[in-house]
Amino acid sequence: MDFPINSPVQKIDDAVFTDQNLALYLKRDDLIHPLISGNKWRKLKYVLQDARLQHKTRLVTFGGAFSNHLLATAAVGAVFGFKTTGFVRGEKVQNDTLFMCSLLGMDLIFTDRESYQHKQELFLNHFSNDPFAYFVDEGGASALSALGCTELVDELEETYDHLFCACGTGTTAAGIINGLSEKKLPTTFHAVPVFKNADWMRQEIEKYLLKEASFNVHTAYGFGGYAKTTPELIAFIKNFIAQTGILIDPVYTGKMLFAIFDLAKKGYFKPGSKILAVHTGGTFGLLGMKNKFG
Ligand SMILES: *Cc1c(COP(=O)(O)O)cnc(C)c1O
């Protein structure tokens, strides 16, 4: 079970960097698959393997109505031959993400916010008679998911001074940090939480570290909270897309790249530094946020 590509690394030319003799590269995990956000593929890979080992045939998971994880699970189910069920938080709605989930064969069960809090209970209520159903937690936070993300580091052909990644649960970050420590690379890792004042992100990342490691957490780029935006962020994203032809979303990759550009403008990086940013995907989510782009 795999996709036959290592995601490519692409140089981003912008005066903010070239003027200071900095080099910015983007690890294009968004190119792994159009509907499976890159890091969601890495996070699901060993989970799928585990499901298969246990002879499970249905993946059951959870997410909000715009969840990249739901869409990714629906798509991997279709690609690798699993049936899928998604519990969707909140009252019944229609949007592009859920439309794609259905098209990929996912059964959607809309669930009120109270019941949604009790995921194991929901799973047991609906699937206690189905020995082939496999529970996949929301956001895919698990040691197996972190392991899949560690493989991103194995794909790198050059050494970078800095590596940046957007953080939701922090699992992707932890997996990458594990890879950097395992290979004893001299790369400084930077986590960019996509929430307001997310000082707690450090502990979340540390949960999945195989050994102690130092890393930076930049909490100034939450833009008011999860999926919240500001006109400055939207202007940055519009400009980036128009300049590069690379789609980035306002929930994750847009905030992370904004952080790197902002830090560079403030003289944070030593001249000569090589910076790698992970494009974790999520561009399908852009469609759910059209209205923010005016
Ligand atoms: C889910 C997601 C993340 C967050 O990954 P975590 O492992 O939960 O931190 C980042 N970027 C995109 C595009 C995502 O869909």
Side-chain angles (χ1 to χ4, degrees):
M1 247 179 301
D2 215 337
F3 288 110
I5 59 164
N6 284 356
S7 72
V9 170
Q10 179 178 352
K11 187 149 189 268
I12 305 296
D13 287 310
D14 190 289
V16 172
F17 299 94
T18 43
D19 287 355
Q20 301 181 64
N21 190 26
L22 299 170
L24 175 65
Y25 298 86
L26 200 53
K27 174 80 169 150
R28 299 289 309 273
D29 271 14
D30 58 311
L31 295 180
I32 292 176
H33 188 282
L35 300 177
I36 306 172
S37 266
N39 74 324
K40 297 298 183 288
W41 164 246
R42 296 190 189 277
K43 289 175 77 172
L44 282 166
K45 181 176 165 183
Y46 288 106
V47 171
L48 293 185
Q49 233 173 56
D50 186 55
R52 200 157 272 181
L53 273 173
Q54 295 185 39
H55 305 289
K56 305 290 187 183
T57 55
R58 177 179 290 278
L59 307 172
V60 179
T61 197
F62 307 83
F66 293 96
S67 164
N68 293 332
H69 166 74
L70 270 189
L71 179 56
T73 306
V76 296
V79 173
F80 295 107
F82 292 91
K83 297 184 188 104
T84 53
T85 299
F87 285 95
V88 188
R89 186 180 58 238
E91 64 286 359
K92 187 163 184 192
V93 288
Q94 282 183 323
N95 65 34
D96 296 313
T97 299
L98 296 177
F99 166 69
M100 289 307 283
C101 287
S102 297
L103 200 56
L104 291 159
M106 180 175 256
D107 298 328
L108 299 176
I109 305 177
F110 291 90
T111 311
D112 68 80
R113 281 158 206 276
E114 165 56 26
S115 334
Y116 188 86
Q117 300 306 314
H118 311 285
K119 301 194 176 67
Q120 288 287 354
E121 220 169 283
L122 280 174
F123 180 75
L124 288 175
N125 286 344
H126 286 79
F127 294 99
S128 58
N129 294 324
D130 184 350
F132 300 108
Y134 183 90
F135 178 97
V136 182
D137 209 350
E138 180 180 26
S142 71
L144 281 179
S145 315
L147 181 63
C149 297
T150 299
E151 292 180 352
L152 181 148
V153 180
D154 300 332
E155 294 173 14
L156 301 179
E157 289 171 1
E158 289 185 45
T159 303
Y160 300 90
D161 300 295
H162 301 278
L163 198 162
F164 279 77
C165 180
C167 294
T169 63
T171 316
T172 305
I176 294 172
I177 296 169
N178 285 334
L180 295 173
S181 331
E182 202 176 286
K183 291 197 135 67
K184 299 192 166 52
L185 292 175
T187 308
T188 304
F189 184 85
H190 302 264
V192 182
V194 299
F195 308 95
K196 191 175 174 179
N197 304 329
D199 293 305
W200 46 269
M201 186 56 73
R202 181 173 290 279
Q203 281 127 279
E204 292 303 305
I205 293 172
E206 283 171 349
K207 276 188 198 165
Y208 294 107
L209 290 188
L210 298 176
K211 63 178 192 200
E212 217 178 299
S214 63
F215 58 92
N216 297 326
V217 181
H218 299 274
T219 54
Y221 301 98
F223 294 90
Y226 183 76
K228 298 254 168 63
T229 61
T230 64
E232 201 188 5
L233 177 65
I234 295 297
F236 169 80
I237 290 171
K238 278 183 171 173
N239 186 57
F240 184 88
I241 294 176
Q243 294 300 318
T244 61
I246 300 169
L247 294 178
I248 56 172
D249 75 306
V251 183
Y252 293 104
T253 307
K255 289 184 182 179
M256 178 213 44
L257 282 171
F258 186 102
I260 299 174
F261 276 68
D262 191 55
L263 289 167
K265 281 179 202 158
K266 291 174 174 159
Y268 179 87
F269 302 105
K270 218 168 73 198
S273 299
K274 279 165 68 177
I275 306 156
L276 181 67
V278 182
H279 190 322
T280 39
T283 44
F284 196 84
L286 260 178
L287 294 178
M289 299 185 84
K290 302 192 271 283
N291 58 337
K292 308 236 182 189
F293 282 76

